Amino acid sequence: MRDLTQPHDVRDLLAAVLEALEIPHPATLGDSEQHARVLADRVMHTVIALRSTLDGNPLGIEWTVAYLRERLAEHPPTGYRHYGTPRTEATQ
């Protein structure tokens, strides 16, 4: 297991958490239901990844970050109309 005191590992995990939670806001009230479903799925996987990390995941933080990103790809912020796109590292 890699040490969470490594800045690069912590940054990767935080970036994945932000990627999970920072999805576009729904454009209309009618789009809120799908937005909530997508966000709930992404939150669930984020909690699993964070719990695993805090419980001393023997597979390591790199594996946990990869797991989270794979789960996020399964739950993209689509299926509803929204305003704009979330910020990415390229737009910061």
Side-chain angles (χ1 to χ4, degrees):
M1 184 171 103
R2 293 199 57 182
D3 187 355
L4 272 182
T5 60
Q6 298 297 317
H8 179 55
D9 290 344
V10 173
R11 188 184 189 301
D12 285 348
L13 180 59
L14 291 175
V17 168
L18 183 60
E19 179 183 332
L21 303 178
E22 188 178 44
I23 66 172
H25 297 285
T28 69
L29 187 58
D31 296 309
S32 295
E33 189 174 318
Q34 177 63 16
H35 172 268
R37 275 195 296 269
V38 169
L39 187 57
D41 288 337
R42 293 168 75 92
V43 166
M44 175 189 65
H45 291 297
T46 301
V47 168
I48 291 168
L50 290 173
R51 176 56 47 213
S52 175
T53 299
L54 292 174
D55 287 348
N57 178 2
L59 299 173
I61 193 165
E62 290 174 344
W63 184 92
T64 301
V65 170
Y67 162 85
L68 178 55
R69 289 209 164 109
E70 288 170 9
R71 300 298 75 78
L72 296 180
E74 294 171 359
H75 301 283
T78 59
Y80 67 97
R81 290 169 295 181
H82 54 79
Y83 291 116
T85 57
R87 291 178 358 153
T88 64
E89 288 186 41
T91 61
Q92 292 181 17

